């Protein structure tokens, strides 16, 4: 039997560190709002985590339904969005149980890669009104940034075969393969700088789940601590660090 997405990608121990990650570039979200068109958009935010993208949508007067199967992540999100026009649902992104054809926009903020992408596109299509939009987005570390390069080189010293997975891939091919569902693909990429202390930068890394260091194990913790210590030695106490928000959107046929 296949494991559920919340078992394969269990972020329970990572949830409290999500606040140390930078949020998406604001102008990118503004451009997406314009693309989708209209005010008071009804949005299903799939894999909402602790609410980073959901909060940006709420700030832009969207009515948000946030889908998040992980209890620890969802509880933080509920607390962060208390009293706002939002509903939190404990279901998976590929079987959201939400109503057919009633959303203007379906978003996947750093979550499209943690589920079967074909099934996620099927579910997004089911949820959207005709002409509504699907969007998936991530913040990627700019590996040409001097600070990010130091961190990347340090990781590779300890993990020579380190890769960044599906989240780093061009998502256009998977979307184009579903021309039965979506068309009019739009790609947006925006650089931004984020001010961080070295302590917060290391905490942001604690929110990362990958196959190289599992913070649930003694070995994983030891490897992470060795990498962290080297990064702390090599980076200043505070710095501006460069990220890129990358987003792929497509219109429901």
């Amino acid at each position: 039997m296949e494991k559920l997405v919340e078992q394969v990608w269990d972020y329970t121990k990572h949830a409290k560190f999500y606040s140390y990650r930078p949020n998406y570039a604001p102008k990118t979200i503004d451009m997406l709002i314009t693309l989708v068109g209209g005010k008071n958009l009804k949005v299903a935010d799939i894999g909402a985590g602790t609410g980073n993208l959901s909060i940006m949508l709420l700030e832009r007067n969207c009515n948000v339904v946030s889908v998040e199967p992980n209890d620890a992540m969802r509880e933080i999100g509920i607390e962060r969005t208390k009293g706002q026009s939002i509903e939190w649902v404990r279901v998976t992104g590929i079987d959201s149980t939400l109503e057919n054809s009633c959303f203007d926009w379906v978003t996947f903020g750093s979550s499209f890669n943690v589920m079967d992408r074909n099934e996620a596109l099927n579910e997004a299509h089911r949820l959207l009104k005709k002409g509504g939009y699907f969007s998936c987005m991530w913040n990627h570390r700019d590996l040409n940034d001097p600070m990010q390069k130091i961190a990347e080189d340090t990781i590779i010293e300890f993990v020579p075969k380190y890769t960044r997975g599906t989240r780093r891939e061009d998502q256009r091919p998977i979307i184009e393969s579903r021309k039965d569902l979506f068309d009019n693909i739009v790609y947006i990429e925006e650089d931004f700088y984020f001010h961080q202390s070295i302590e917060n930068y290391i905490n942001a890394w604690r929110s990362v789940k990958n196959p190289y260091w599992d913070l649930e194990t003694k070995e994983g913790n030891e490897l992470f601590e060795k990498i962290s210590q080297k990064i702390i030695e090599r980076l200043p106490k505070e710095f501006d660090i460069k990220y890129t928000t990358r987003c792929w959107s497509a219109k429901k046929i």
Side-chain angles (χ1 to χ4, degrees):
M1 182 184 291
E2 281 191 27
K3 286 189 173 182
L4 295 172
V5 65
E6 62 267 33
Q7 295 169 330
V8 177
W9 293 86
D10 185 355
Y11 278 92
T12 301
K13 300 292 185 185
H14 305 260
K16 63 185 177 182
F17 298 110
Y18 257 71
S19 60
Y20 296 102
R21 287 189 178 200
N23 214 336
Y24 304 101
K27 286 181 182 175
T28 292
I29 305 304
D30 292 339
M31 285 187 276
L32 291 170
I33 294 277
T34 301
L35 172 70
V36 178
K39 297 178 180 177
N40 303 313
L41 297 171
K42 187 169 183 183
V43 187
D45 188 20
I46 307 294
T50 61
N52 282 358
L53 178 56
S54 294
I55 287 169
M56 295 189 82
L57 298 174
L58 289 170
E59 288 169 349
R60 289 157 177 80
N61 300 314
C62 295
N63 298 300
V64 182
V65 177
S66 294
V67 169
E68 177 51 55
N70 182 271
D71 293 339
M73 301 271 271
R74 194 179 61 261
E75 284 164 13
I76 292 171
I78 289 169
E79 184 61 32
R80 292 176 74 198
T81 57
K82 196 177 285 184
Q84 300 193 59
S85 178
I86 187 168
E87 177 188 353
W88 284 85
V89 187
R90 187 189 188 278
V91 288
T92 67
I94 57 175
D95 186 19
S96 71
T97 72
L98 302 178
E99 191 178 341
N100 288 349
S101 308
C102 69
F103 290 91
D104 302 299
W105 192 13
V106 174
T107 59
F108 293 77
S110 302
S111 59
F112 192 50
N113 60 301
V114 306
M115 57 191 84
D116 182 291
R117 289 178 293 168
N118 261 309
E119 290 187 30
L121 287 169
N122 286 337
E123 183 68 353
H125 187 269
R126 183 185 72 77
L127 295 175
L128 285 167
K129 300 172 183 175
K130 186 171 176 59
Y133 275 84
F134 147 87
S135 295
C136 61
M137 68 193 78
W138 292 266
N139 279 335
H140 292 157
R141 293 176 296 123
D142 185 326
L143 303 180
N144 295 315
D145 176 80
M147 302 297 170
Q148 299 281 26
K149 190 172 188 318
I150 288 168
E152 184 80 358
D153 290 347
T154 303
I155 291 167
I156 290 169
E157 279 178 33
F158 289 91
V159 188
K161 294 183 178 179
Y162 181 75
T163 62
R164 290 164 293 279
T166 308
R167 71 192 314 278
R168 275 271 175 176
E169 294 175 7
D170 182 1
Q171 304 301 315
R172 176 178 282 272
I174 186 72
I175 301 168
E176 283 187 333
S177 74
R178 299 308 309 274
K179 286 184 176 173
D180 56 321
L181 304 180
F182 292 99
D183 206 348
N184 301 87
I185 297 172
V186 175
Y187 175 66
I188 299 173
E189 179 177 304
E190 182 185 352
D191 297 338
F192 67 98
Y193 284 89
F194 185 67
H195 187 79
Q196 270 180 322
S197 67
I198 186 62
E199 293 84 3
N200 288 353
Y201 183 65
I202 296 301
N203 278 332
W205 273 104
R206 291 184 193 279
S207 74
V208 173
K209 190 171 179 67
N210 65 37
Y212 305 106
W213 57 80
D214 182 355
L215 298 181
E216 294 290 286
T217 68
K218 182 173 179 285
E219 295 77 16
N221 261 305
E222 286 174 355
L223 175 58
F224 181 77
E225 288 307 320
K226 286 176 185 174
I227 294 170
S228 298
Q229 196 51 50
K230 281 291 180 187
I231 291 175
I232 289 167
E233 289 171 13
R234 293 170 177 175
L235 288 181
K237 292 190 183 301
E238 290 201 13
F239 44 84
D240 288 323
I241 195 161
K242 194 175 182 182
Y243 292 85
T244 303
T245 294
R246 293 190 170 98
C247 179
W248 291 259
S249 300
K251 190 176 185 179
K252 176 177 175 173
I253 292 172

